[in-house]
Every structure is written in C-alpha cells, then in structure tokens.
Amino acid sequence: MGKIINITLGILLLMSSGCRPTPGGGQEPGPEPQPQPQPSIEGVQTYVSTADNTMHFETVSRNFKDGLNMDVEKTLYLKPEQTYQQFDGFGIALNGSACYNLMQMAADQRHDLLVKTFDVEKGMGYSATRISIGASDFSLSDYTCWDNKDKPFALTAEETEYVIPVLKEVLAINPTIQIMGSPWTCPRWMKVNNLTDKQPYTAWNGGYLNPNLYEEYASYFVNWIQAFETAGVPIASITIQNEPLNWGNSESLYMEWKQQRDFVKVLGPAVRNAGLQTKIIVFDHNYNYDGKADQQQYPLKIYKDATAAQYIDGAAYHNYGGNSSELDVIHKGAPTKNLYFTEASIGTWNYRSYGQSFLDIADNICFQPALRWCKSAVMWNFMLDNHPEEGPYRPGGCSTCYGAIQIDYNDYSSLMYRSTYYVMGQMSKVLRTGSTRIGTSGYLPSGVQAVASTNPDGTYGLVLFNKSNAAVKMVVDDGQRAFELTLPAESLTSCLWKK
C-alpha cells in the first residue's frame, strides 16, 4: 500500500533511549573508512586519565627499550595475527538538546571544544555518534519529520538550525566520524493501538506501527537519510527503533521481534532501491529484553528469516538491564552479523561520584562491549544544561540524566566535565575508525584489562584499564619493540605507536 516517496528537499540540514534505565555480514557494506594521515609519532604516545580526578587526559611520550626485552615475566605481548572485529569508533550522542546547547555557545568556544573532542590528532578523536530520527526525550519539542500525512516529509528547525550545523562542523574536524540515526517513534498517524483491530493511536509514547503503512514508514527512513546526505551529513547506519520493548518514554513505539522482522523486509529493499549504503541494525535495547520471555534473543529470531536477514548488518544493545554476556550469546548464534553498543547514560541513579562513574563506564560501556565483539560504543549524551532537570528535555523522558558536559545556561560558556567525557576519549584516541581488534597474551595482573588494535594509519593502539587501587608496572612488547609503563591506580592508559 503506497509507493516509496521521492521528495526534493529545499531546506536541509549529529547513540538511545529513553535514556533512563527501563525495567528489568548481511546488508551491502557502506564505504570503507579512509586511512587517516600518518601521525607524527616518535616513540610511544600515552594518554592517561584517573578516577581520582587528578589526571584528565595527560599526554606523555615514552621511548622504546634498548636491546632485548629481558623483563618477560611482566610483559604483555600483542598478537596481531589474532584478529577479532573491526572498530567503527567510540563516542557520544549529539541529540537535539546537545546541539541546541552547543549552538548557544560563542562560535570560537564551540569550535575549540569540538576540536578538543573530535579531532583525531589535536584532540581525543571521538569517532562515533548517534542522533535521533525526529524527536527523542532530549529534543526541543515532540515531533517527527512527517507529522501531517497530507503534507510532504520535511526536516524541522531542530535539524536545520542545530543538529545539522553541529554535525557539519564535526565532520569538518573529523570526516570519518560514524553517524547512526535512531527513531524514538514513527509519525503518530502511522500508529495503531494493537495489531489486531488496528484502531488509531494518537499518543507520542506507545502504540504499534500500522502493518498497512510499512511502505510509507520505509519512505520516511529513506527521505530522512537522503535529506541529511544532501545537507552534507552522511548516515553510516540506522536502527529500526530505539528501545522497541519500552512502551514508556516521552516518545516511543512498541515493536516486538516479529513485527521488526516483517518491517525490515520492506525497509531493506527501500534503502537499497534508493541507492543508499546506510546499514540497517535491529533491536537497539537492553541485554535482558526487558524481562520478556518471548522476546529473548530478539535478533537471532529475526536472523532465522533469510529474507529479512539479508538486509541486516547486525544488532544494537543498551545496558539498562541484564548483563553484557548476552553479546557473546548473540555473536555465537550469528557470528557473521555485527554488534553495536548504542546507549548508556549517567544520572542521579548511578552517578555516585566522579571516580565510581569513571570505573563503571570504563568497564561496562567501553571494555565489555569492545571485548565482546561490538564495533562501537556510544554514550548518551554529549551536553545538557544546568537546569534542575538537565536538558532541554521532553516531559515523560529522562529528567534525572546527566550529560558528559554540563553547560551553564546563564552564559552558555561555563562548562563542567564529567568522567564520561574522558573515558570515551581514552578509547577513541587510539582505537581508531577502521582499526581491527587483535589479541594479547602474557602479563595481565588481577584488576587490569587490555584492548589492542592495528589501525589503518599504520599504528598500534592499546588501552589498559587498571581497576585496582594500586599502581601497576609492566612492559608492552609488539614483537619488534618493547616499552615500559606504570599504570596509575584506577586509571585508563592509552598507547599509540608506529608499527
């Protein structure tokens, strides 16, 4: 019913969630990230952040050891022949509220902040972000880009005045950043109260996608991707629905695995027929499937349908319920499909201190996804203001969430950085877009974890997480050269050096 709509747009223009905790090789590949220029690195560049808030992103150059490495008992060895997933990147969501706050800043201060955050060489090199398709709970209003079925699709001021200008500025700084889009809801005129009697459902939160309008909703995705790309913002991937098992939030849409399976059979051909390379990703919700027995292993159920599976790149997860070990289950069940970690948040419920947040995020948001096959990890979200309910946010959404950066709305100049900001930077700085995770062996004392990669620019990247409350001395050996390190207590140390 209905045809895919091609619309020429005149006005064009960057993780998911109800970001509060909720209860409880498929598609044709997109263009490969281009190798970045060879960095001017002499010796080993290290970057250190600590949970005690004394070292935020301290840069130290280290020399290689002379002669043979004799300290073999305390040596961690890289194993480049042992390869795992390719990384898209690490970063944070740039939703409507974050982009609005950024655009209130003085242009030079905003640019300096974005360089510090996204520049691969001068800054921390954040390499992935997530934006909402239409409104999220951190938007300026409740909306989609096709609210009136009798009028054509059109971007709104939120995209044209805030999101797209910020994304274009970020892309000028880091052209390889990977941008993912996720809808919180379809247009309300596409909703029904259930899939049996299909009566209209007009609320922003809840409801089901009308099965009779799959082609119309597919055209919505296509037009949204095309609008952003026409504006100079390439969309690397989309998820079909943010938190499909969460009926609440300010905007939401309930979509069990069977309906997502059926819809992707329409969405996939629409994306391909439009000549788009954007990857399609399913699920985008919690490890525990919000405790719903019939929704367990949601992605694996969809993959069993060969027609649907051919259009799907992989599945995305949040950590508001369940355990990251679910990533191992899904990878084992579908090893050719990719995995993504697309959302976690900090807020009044879990931000006990700078240090505790630092340790939790490093472990649960960065290391567990990276060591369990995820191509990327993205936090929610970049910047909120210092109103009592940080925002701007939508009523019904998360009124207790924090941004990685808090900006003072009295002057849109004063900034407060939370530990999230530095933790993600430690990962993105050295595990670069297009890099491949490799194995390690040898010395890894209790409380220390390691993620290593070979990067497309001819470097090795290594991130060491020392969760223990004591400093650790060790040696790193890549098979050709070695260097010594001291990991401060409760810290992240990232290393980058030429092969």
Side-chain angles (χ1 to χ4, degrees):
M1 175 177 176
K3 300 280 178 95
I4 299 302
I5 301 172
N6 293 312
I7 299 173
T8 301
L9 297 163
I11 301 177
L12 302 167
L13 267 206
L14 162 251
M15 227 174 79
S16 99
S17 137
C19 62
R20 65 191 181 290
T22 56
Q27 190 190 9
E28 292 175 348
E32 289 295 319
Q34 295 300 306
Q36 294 151 354
Q38 284 281 346
S40 53
I41 297 174
E42 297 299 331
V44 182
Q45 290 295 105
T46 62
Y47 311 89
V48 184
S49 298
T50 56
D52 65 7
N53 206 9
T54 58
M55 300 172 72
H56 291 132
F57 200 74
E58 184 171 310
T59 303
V60 180
S61 296
R62 287 178 167 80
N63 295 321
F64 293 106
K65 291 168 63 76
D66 293 327
L68 293 175
N69 171 28
M70 304 301 293
D71 199 3
V72 293
E73 291 184 355
K74 290 191 175 182
T75 297
L76 178 72
Y77 296 93
L78 300 193
K79 301 182 70 175
E81 72 281 1
Q82 187 178 74
T83 60
Y84 300 91
Q85 79 272 29
Q86 186 180 84
F87 288 126
D88 281 355
F90 296 82
I92 203 156
L94 285 167
N95 50 35
S97 295
C99 293
Y100 170 82
N101 288 327
L102 282 163
M103 291 302 291
Q104 307 314 302
M105 299 174 69
D108 58 346
Q109 187 189 19
R110 178 179 66 250
H111 183 73
D112 289 346
L113 172 62
L114 295 179
V115 168
K116 173 183 174 182
T117 305
F118 295 97
D119 193 286
V120 174
E121 301 303 333
K122 299 177 184 177
M124 294 188 291
Y126 275 38
S127 47
T129 191
R130 184 164 173 257
I131 62 175
S132 59
I133 300 175
S136 73
D137 48 338
F138 285 100
S139 289
L140 306 181
S141 64
D142 299 316
Y143 76 95
T144 70
C145 297
W146 198 5
D147 282 340
N148 187 335
K149 64 180 178 180
D150 296 322
K151 293 183 179 180
F153 173 100
L155 296 177
T156 73
E158 182 155 318
E159 288 86 29
T160 59
E161 295 180 17
Y162 307 117
V163 177
I164 285 179
V166 167
L167 289 177
K168 292 182 73 172
E169 192 168 353
V170 168
L171 283 161
I173 294 166
N174 183 355
T176 64
I177 190 167
Q178 302 293 291
I179 302 172
M180 175 185 288
S182 301
W184 267 236
T185 182
C186 64
R188 287 183 293 175
W189 58 270
M190 296 185 185
K191 289 187 176 187
V192 291
N193 65 328
N194 59 55
L195 299 179
T196 302
D197 60 34
K198 301 184 183 67
Q199 294 302 305
Y201 185 91
T202 59
W204 284 109
N205 64 313
Y208 296 80
L209 174 63
N210 189 339
N212 297 327
L213 298 177
Y214 282 178
E215 290 192 12
E216 285 79 354
Y217 195 35
S219 76
Y220 178 82
F221 279 92
V222 168
N223 280 288
W224 184 86
I225 297 167
Q226 290 174 331
F228 271 71
E229 295 198 345
T230 300
V233 178
I235 304 299
S237 59
I238 54 171
T239 68
I240 294 175
Q241 174 60 39
N242 170 68
E243 297 188 350
L245 302 179
N246 177 12
W247 189 276
N249 210 347
S250 53
E251 298 87 10
S252 61
L253 180 72
Y254 200 78
M255 186 179 279
E256 296 184 343
W257 72 265
K258 289 181 180 179
Q259 190 174 27
Q260 198 156 120
R261 174 201 61 193
D262 295 342
F263 176 61
V264 81
K265 294 179 187 179
V266 178
L267 176 62
V271 170
R272 285 192 181 179
N273 292 339
L276 299 170
Q277 297 298 309
T278 304
K279 298 173 184 177
I280 297 174
I281 298 168
V282 298
F283 191 49
D284 203 10
H285 205 171
N286 293 336
Y287 294 137
N288 68 348
Y289 309 94
D290 275 16
K292 297 175 173 62
D294 58 343
Q295 300 302 308
Q296 300 298 301
Q297 282 77 63
Y298 187 118
L300 298 184
K301 289 180 167 67
I302 297 176
Y303 298 159
K304 288 179 180 178
D305 187 302
T307 303
Q310 68 178 309
Y311 301 111
I312 299 168
D313 175 79
Y317 281 84
H318 305 177
N319 78 333
Y320 303 124
N323 190 282
S324 61
S325 60
E326 181 65 12
L327 296 169
D328 293 330
V329 174
I330 301 304
H331 175 74
K332 183 178 180 180
T336 63
K337 296 297 186 184
N338 290 314
L339 287 167
Y340 301 83
F341 186 88
T342 49
E343 186 180 315
S345 188
I346 55 173
T348 57
W349 72 92
N350 66 355
Y351 197 88
R352 297 184 291 280
S353 68
Y354 184 101
Q356 189 60 52
S357 175
F358 181 99
L359 296 172
D360 287 347
I361 294 164
D363 193 4
N364 298 315
I365 315 309
C366 294
F367 271 76
Q368 293 307 311
L371 292 172
R372 287 182 151 135
W373 301 97
C374 285
K375 289 175 66 66
S376 62
V378 178
M379 284 289 297
W380 179 266
N381 59 67
F382 187 64
M383 177 184 285
L384 297 176
D385 64 31
N386 62 339
H387 278 87
E389 295 174 330
E390 296 191 28
Y393 93 105
R394 303 308 309 146
C398 185
S399 62
T400 58
C401 288
Y402 296 150
I405 301 174
Q406 183 187 77
I407 190 167
D408 189 335
Y409 70 90
N410 292 299
D411 59 14
Y412 286 102
S413 176
S414 303
L415 304 177
M416 182 187 76
Y417 296 84
R418 293 190 170 92
S419 51
T420 308
Y421 181 78
Y422 300 104
V423 171
M424 298 308 295
Q426 291 286 156
M427 304 297 286
S428 62
K429 183 64 178 179
V430 303
L431 307 176
R432 298 187 166 184
T433 299
S435 66
T436 299
R437 181 165 74 91
I438 60 174
T440 62
S441 65
Y443 183 66
L444 208 58
S446 176
V448 178
Q449 297 182 70
V451 177
S453 72
T454 55
N455 294 322
D457 60 6
T459 58
Y460 283 117
L462 173 66
V463 186
L464 293 160
F465 176 31
N466 181 14
K467 293 189 283 187
S468 72
N469 58 8
V472 173
K473 292 185 178 181
M474 64 190 303
V475 177
V476 175
D477 192 319
D478 66 9
Q480 301 294 324
R481 295 169 298 179
F483 58 93
E484 296 176 328
L485 277 175
T486 297
L487 311 179
E490 298 184 337
S491 68
L492 283 167
T493 300
S494 301
C495 310
L496 187 71
W497 69 99
K498 289 181 181 178
K499 295 181 184 178

